[in-house]
Amino acid sequence: MQLARRMDDIAESITLAVTAKANALKKQGVDVVSFGAGEPDFDTPGFIKEAAIKALQAGRTKYEPTPGTVEARKAIAEKLKRENGLEYAAEQITISVGGKHALYLAFQAVLNPGDEVIIPAPYWVSYPEMVKLAGGVPVIVRGDPANNFKITRTQLDKALTDKTRMFIMNSPSNPGGHTYEPSELDELSYALARFPEVWVCSDEIYEKLIYGDTQFRSWAALDWAKWKDRTITCNCLSKTFAMTGWRIGYTAGPKPLIAAMSKLQSQMTSNITSFCYPAIVEAYTNPQSGVEVEKMRQEFERRGEHMWKRLNAIAGMECVRPTGAFYCFPNIGALLNKPLGKKGVVSQEAVAFCTAVLEEAHVALVPGNDFGFADHVRLSFATSMGNIDKGLDRLAAFLGNG
Ligand code: PMP
Ligand code: GLU
């Protein structure tokens, strides 16, 4: 059987694969603690669910406009103005099937074969693959763990060429758990200013999950060089409102870009699920939303601090303190190439290490290889305190720290 050549060039999403493996083991009766999936363990707030239920019961079961209803796009535009200081008309917003689809459409809409896309590492697994699917060439710039994984202006300067077409900014970051301060975004913008044809794709899906005194600012809100005219702002409801399964994402940007993305979507998925639109309006207009989001944020912050402290207490693990999202991304370099666990398994990189941990300790971690760091592993702290302690007890025991 012959499949398209492009299938040889892309990897399956490791985050989803690890989660599927952990779930399959659980189904077989194995008591697995999963730090795999990056998804809130909370349920979607009831009033958001109610809006969709009511719409469904009222017969909202037909096709809708591809980029979304005017009401939902307006609610998003008002959110962007209120929370991000960004003025967009409803026609400058398109709603897609999750943040993933929004990013995929954006890359398809602006990249030509051979265009270079600068991606800071560690990066979310899907960026390089989606760039390649659009014919682009990922150019990886490695953030130094000593600088909390953040890349510098000098590094960005060096990576920019005449072929660069896009720069991807993901702050707060998956998997690094780091967040760029507004002044650090300014620094990077000075390097990019020399290349006015380069788009900035700002993936802001973790904007609400920031910790300590960390500040978030949208890239498009940079107040010089008309950044808004060449910034693609992608976001979704998945993480903020614990709605990963709903598959709702959106993009704000210049009108021609949004029209192009909508045209593409019209040939792919059409509109998102019809009865979800009123839920978007509810999420962004009900005053209770802020309260619910803040409750979840506080709990993530508590768990993140706890996980970070515990990981650093394990000999051989070194972890940057998370300032955003819900991931710890410890370095396991000191644990490679030596026998571990009862079976004395020797791992040379993170995939083998995670396999050994899953098989012997029944703890699911995501190897850092597909995030661009083969000597790191990712743990999601979007799981209960009880699970965090249980999983880390097992991990510590596996590593001889029990
Ligand atoms: N961007 C990042 C950085 C992510 O971690 C994810 C994973 N959820 C997405 C985009 C995609 O989000 P969604 O689940 O809404 O497709
Ligand atoms: N983004 C989440 C993660 O990194 C969900 C899985 C995915 O879409 O990659 O775990």
Side-chain angles (χ1 to χ4, degrees):
M1 194 195 344
Q2 279 223 326
L3 297 175
R5 273 191 299 279
R6 77 173 70 84
M7 296 315 300
D8 298 335
D9 203 27
I10 60 156
E12 186 187 354
S13 167
I14 186 75
T15 48
L16 296 179
V18 166
T19 310
K21 201 168 165 185
N23 287 342
L25 282 172
K26 278 185 199 166
K27 266 207 171 140
Q28 288 167 25
V30 183
D31 174 25
V32 175
V33 177
S34 180
F35 295 127
E39 70 174 339
D41 54 326
F42 302 111
D43 196 2
T44 305
F47 56 89
I48 299 179
K49 284 190 194 172
E50 274 306 313
I53 292 166
K54 263 196 215 145
L56 181 58
Q57 281 173 339
R60 189 82 176 264
T61 54
K62 305 287 185 235
Y63 291 130
E64 304 259 356
T66 300
T69 61
V70 173
E71 295 77 16
R73 294 162 92 192
K74 270 194 181 151
I76 292 169
E78 277 156 25
K79 173 260 185 245
L80 288 168
K81 188 168 174 196
R82 190 175 62 239
E83 298 179 3
N84 307 79
L86 297 171
E87 297 249 10
Y88 285 106
E91 314 86 76
Q92 290 181 284
I93 289 158
T94 185
I95 302 172
S96 314
V97 188
K100 211 175 233 176
H101 190 212
L103 291 158
Y104 182 88
L105 291 172
F107 297 172
Q108 291 287 332
V110 304
L111 297 179
N112 281 311
D115 284 346
E116 292 179 359
V117 177
I118 299 179
I119 308 177
Y123 45 76
W124 178 47
V125 287
S126 296
Y127 297 142
E129 307 311 293
M130 292 200 281
V131 165
K132 286 188 275 177
L133 283 169
V137 180
V139 174
I140 307 302
V141 177
R142 210 177 147 86
D144 185 349
N147 192 34
N148 292 341
F149 297 116
K150 294 182 215 181
I151 66 160
T152 62
R153 175 180 174 182
T154 312
Q155 284 182 293
L156 184 55
D157 258 326
K158 274 196 200 137
L160 283 157
T161 73
D162 290 340
K163 289 195 184 137
T164 310
R165 186 88 169 127
M166 186 189 276
F167 170 61
I168 300 180
M169 171 48 61
N170 172 221
S171 171
S173 159
N174 175 7
H178 55 284
T179 309
Y180 286 79
E181 291 296 330
S183 60
E184 292 167 328
L185 296 181
D186 285 341
E187 275 296 311
L188 297 179
S189 77
Y190 301 144
L192 285 161
R194 292 189 293 118
F195 293 83
E197 298 305 317
V198 174
W199 287 95
V200 175
C201 179
S202 184
D203 179 347
E204 303 186 354
I205 78 166
Y206 296 102
E207 64 168 334
K208 294 295 172 205
L209 304 179
I210 49 173
Y211 312 122
D213 50 14
T214 305
Q215 301 281 315
F216 171 82
R217 186 179 67 196
S218 288
W219 184 285
L222 284 179
D223 58 3
W224 73 288
K226 295 195 174 165
W227 285 105
K228 208 164 132 249
D229 295 347
R230 56 183 176 116
T231 301
I232 306 167
T233 303
C234 290
N235 208 328
C236 61
L237 278 69
S238 306
K239 316 284 165 159
T240 306
F241 300 108
M243 292 173 71
T244 47
W246 292 63
R247 315 305 306 135
I248 306 173
Y250 59 87
T251 307
K255 243 191 221 172
L257 167 84
I258 296 302
M261 288 175 63
S262 177
K263 180 161 80 173
L264 270 170
Q265 185 167 328
S266 76
Q267 299 291 11
M268 297 174 81
T269 57
S270 308
N271 56 278
I272 65 161
T273 303
S274 54
F275 47 85
C276 290
Y277 291 116
I280 299 175
V281 176
E282 190 66 22
Y284 285 127
T285 57
N286 190 318
Q288 187 58 24
S289 284
V291 179
E292 296 296 328
V293 171
E294 177 57 15
K295 257 197 259 167
M296 293 192 262
R297 190 201 66 77
Q298 283 180 14
E299 181 57 16
F300 287 135
E301 179 160 26
R302 203 170 70 89
R303 295 172 183 180
E305 280 289 299
H306 184 67
M307 180 182 267
W308 167 69
K309 281 188 191 142
R310 283 212 56 183
L311 284 171
N312 276 334
I314 296 177
M317 285 212 166
E318 212 179 320
C319 187
V320 169
R321 185 181 196 165
T323 56
F326 35 56
Y327 306 105
C328 282
F329 195 55
N331 185 338
I332 53 149
L335 300 168
L336 300 177
N337 300 307
K338 54 172 69 158
L340 297 173
K342 286 200 191 93
K343 293 187 195 142
V345 177
V346 177
S347 315
Q348 274 152 9
E349 42 66 58
V351 172
F353 177 87
C354 292
T355 304
V357 173
L358 182 60
E359 283 175 2
E360 192 173 317
H362 297 157
V363 177
L365 312 172
V366 187
N369 307 53
D370 289 358
F371 299 114
F373 276 62
D375 56 357
H376 282 61
V377 295
R378 192 190 79 176
L379 293 85
S380 160
F381 50 82
T383 186
S384 70
M385 260 322 189
N387 260 346
I388 291 173
D389 276 330
K390 184 169 162 187
L392 294 184
D393 285 349
R394 288 184 187 180
L395 187 62
F398 173 80
L399 297 172
N401 287 235

